[in-house]
Amino acid sequence: MIRATSIIRREAVDEDLIVDMITLDHGDRYRRRIVLHADGGTALLLDLDKLDVLEDGDAIRLDSGWLVQVRAAPEKLIEVRTDDSLDLLTLAWHIGNRHVSAEIARDAIYLAYDHVLLDMLQGLGARTEIVERPFRPVRGAYHHHEQGGHSHHHSHGHSHG
């Protein structure tokens, strides 16, 4: 099986080296080791040194040097909006307190669909809509440290009662 051991970020992708595309949802874009099947039929073993996120437009470098470009698959999401930016920030706090992945836009927050979160957000006065689009959540605050080979472990010291 063809192995892929590195990720080429979107800005550095050489279009001439792309031999296939692969469409992945958010969960499958956050991997270290997995067998994948690209849209055009290329089977490959993604075998990274450490867990990483494949972003829309990135490419996976095959052992041969060729690239398989990554596309973010559309997913069922909750779009959260309010009429007031302070209200949206308050909703972001509530979402963060539940430790769920979120994509933050200037005037909206996007979350993976969950009926419990949907009910909570509507109860807090959010305007919500179910949409289907690629999910690009914000990476964790310590992501850049992990990329450098070390991480900062901590405990939250609070409860979710």
Side-chain angles (χ1 to χ4, degrees), residues 47-69:
D47 191 13
L48 302 174
D49 288 338
K50 60 183 179 267
L51 185 65
D52 206 343
V53 178
L54 298 164
E55 301 288 356
D56 188 58
D58 288 348
I60 303 165
R61 183 186 305 276
L62 305 176
D63 281 341
S64 64
W66 295 105
L67 304 177
V68 174
Q69 191 162 38

Side-chain angles (χ1 to χ4, degrees), residues 4-142:
T5 57
S6 63
I7 299 170
I8 307 302
R9 297 298 172 198
R10 172 185 20 226
E11 326 56 70
V13 170
D14 181 344
E15 302 284 329
D16 293 333
L17 296 178
I18 296 172
V19 294
D20 209 337
M21 301 288 287
I22 189 163
T23 305
L24 301 169
D25 67 18
H26 171 253
D28 282 339
R29 292 192 330 266
Y30 189 64
R31 297 293 182 153
R32 188 191 80 73
R33 192 167 204 273
I34 187 174
V35 172
L36 297 169
H37 298 276
D39 302 345
T42 304
L44 62 114
L45 171 64
L46 180 67
D47 191 13
L48 302 174
D49 288 338
K50 60 183 179 267
L51 185 65
D52 206 343
V53 178
L54 298 164
E55 301 288 356
D56 188 58
D58 288 348
I60 303 165
R61 183 186 305 276
L62 305 176
D63 281 341
S64 64
W66 295 105
L67 304 177
V68 174
Q69 191 162 38
V70 176
R71 277 191 283 213
E75 300 181 52
K76 184 177 180 180
L77 304 175
I78 303 170
E79 180 183 81
V80 181
R81 294 183 182 272
T82 63
D83 293 327
D84 180 270
S85 59
L86 183 57
D87 290 340
L88 192 61
L89 287 171
T90 301
L91 290 170
W93 182 87
H94 284 285
I95 292 164
N97 198 37
R98 277 141 187 91
H99 301 279
V100 297
S101 296
E103 179 179 344
I104 310 296
R106 183 169 305 284
D107 58 352
I109 301 169
Y110 296 90
L111 312 167
Y113 178 81
D114 178 297
H115 73 279
V116 173
L117 281 174
L118 180 64
D119 291 346
M120 177 199 76
L121 292 164
Q122 289 172 341
L124 291 169
R127 286 194 330 269
T128 59
E129 183 177 342
I130 307 305
V131 297
E132 187 142 329
R133 62 186 282 288
F135 186 35
R136 299 176 186 99
V138 175
R139 292 184 184 195
Y142 296 105

